[in-house]
Amino acid sequence: MPELPEVETVRRGLAARMTGRRIVAVEQRAPALRLPFPEGFAERLAGRRVLGLRRRAKYILVDLDDGWVMLMHLGMSGRIVMTDAGDAVGGAPPAPGPHDHLILGLEDGLRVVFNDARRFGVVTLARAETLADHPLLAALGPEPLNPGFDGVLLAARLAGRRTAIKAALLDQRRIAGVGNIYASEALFRARLSPRRKAATIRGARADRLALALRAVLAEAVEAGGSSLRDYVQASGELGYFQHRFAVYDRAGAPCPRCGAGAPIRRIVQGARATFFCPRCQR
DNA sequence: CTCGTCCCCTGGGAGC
DNA sequence: TGCTCCCAGGGGACGA
């Protein structure tokens, strides 16, 4: 499911309710997702207070009061949804769903459920003081929404790459947080062909792409992300940025920039679908 | 190193 | 209605 905007939306929703609260119950209902849960995971988490929630790339980082951090990645189909004790029917908590792999009970009856049908997600623990060196985080590229992200930085990250720019944008070691939807959308906004060699994105082209990435990601965060199949916000509400896609999943539709004469095309790059306008993206 | 391909897994929709 | 096939917001293990 989730790229940077969806993960950031979930993080915000969780932070508003979890920050400062103690985790009083932990129910781990699967031995592993894409990676095994850590040894003694439920016991290590129970009783901890949540200091705050951060995001790095597509990871949600939950800072705990014992110097550990819970890392959560949603993979393709993961979702994290909160419910209140007040939502329960007859006072009993709802029965777990078939893919509810982790259920946290917090003070005041807040329940946080991690659900992931395909189990491509990850939940693990890391030490706070060495967080940046954790194997899942160490190689990640810069955050496109951070203040220093501009065309110069983007060009430096793409220098020497002979692969197509679309594939390079999906490589989390180059730039963090961009996924299949927003790569196509940003390239459309920057009027750049997804097939262009990554190393040719410098100068004015890099400026355009850096701005396009920041704009589309920020707008999608504002819209609460894009709900296609699995994704919902932590509150259970849908995102609505999918109504503003210019090209993603719009093969055959007229290009919103150059009109009915140039339909959006779908091609496959690196076994993943890419959408673009062959007329106005060069 | 870097690049492309395949695979992990389940569910939903299209087509027959 | 029911089957088969294809596809899906990610990412990592391979082999060339």
Side-chain angles (χ1 to χ4, degrees):
Chain A
M1 103 171 148
E3 308 183 31
L4 185 157
E6 290 74 35
V7 176
E8 176 62 18
T9 300
V10 171
R11 184 200 68 80
R12 291 181 183 187
L14 296 175
R17 300 294 308 281
M18 293 178 73
T19 301
R21 281 189 172 167
R22 193 175 295 282
I23 298 167
V24 296
V26 180
E27 186 182 354
Q28 179 194 325
R29 308 188 69 254
L33 302 175
R34 183 164 64 78
L35 301 175
F37 280 86
E39 201 69 31
F41 175 75
E43 294 74 21
R44 292 164 68 183
L45 205 54
R48 301 278 58 80
R49 191 176 295 279
V50 175
L51 301 181
L53 287 90
R54 296 179 281 165
R55 180 188 56 76
R56 176 73 172 109
K58 301 173 190 172
Y59 291 90
I60 292 171
L61 310 172
V62 183
D63 283 296
L64 306 170
D65 66 354
D66 62 350
W68 287 83
V69 181
M70 177 168 59
L71 279 66
M72 298 193 290
H73 193 291
L74 299 172
M76 288 281 269
S77 58
R79 37 169 126 185
I80 305 174
V81 175
M82 302 179 296
T83 57
D84 275 298
D87 301 341
V89 181
H99 303 295
D100 290 348
H101 303 305
L102 176 65
I103 304 172
L104 305 180
L106 280 82
E107 292 173 321
D108 307 327
L110 180 67
R111 284 165 51 88
V112 177
V113 178
F114 187 112
N115 176 288
D116 185 4
R118 295 174 74 181
R119 299 196 303 279
F120 290 167
V122 172
V123 177
T124 192
L125 293 167
R127 289 293 303 172
E129 69 253 28
T130 54
L131 188 62
D133 301 323
H134 190 278
L136 291 172
L137 307 181
L140 292 170
E143 290 286 332
L145 290 182
N146 279 2
F149 187 84
D150 60 9
V152 174
L153 176 56
L154 177 60
R157 301 302 299 173
L158 299 174
R161 307 264 342 198
R162 306 173 56 78
T163 190
I165 181 58
K166 163 64 166 20
L169 289 176
L170 297 185
D171 182 347
Q172 301 298 293
R173 297 168 300 183
R174 310 282 71 166
I175 300 116
V178 180
N180 207 40
I181 290 177
Y182 301 106
S184 282
E185 292 294 315
L187 287 166
F188 173 78
R189 290 185 183 213
R191 306 190 311 279
L192 294 169
S193 168
R195 297 196 267 218
R196 173 182 281 279
K197 292 266 178 283
T200 70
I201 310 289
R202 41 192 157 73
R205 290 193 191 99
D207 293 341
R208 289 206 318 266
L209 184 53
L211 284 171
L213 283 164
R214 290 171 65 89
V216 73
L217 294 170
E219 289 172 31
V221 170
E222 283 304 300
S226 300
S227 287
L228 299 186
R229 281 162 288 274
D230 302 291
Y231 167 72
V232 294
Q233 302 185 36
S235 60
E237 294 173 86
L238 299 175
Y240 54 91
F241 191 77
Q242 65 276 13
H243 303 302
R244 289 162 58 185
F245 290 166
V247 292
Y248 184 82
D249 205 18
R250 295 179 53 80
C255 170
R257 181 186 292 123
C258 63
I264 300 304
R265 281 195 57 199
R266 178 190 190 275
I267 61 174
V268 175
Q269 297 178 287
R272 316 209 52 194
T274 299
F275 300 88
F276 72 110
C277 171
R279 183 189 288 178
C280 57
Q281 289 181 249
R282 304 285 167 173

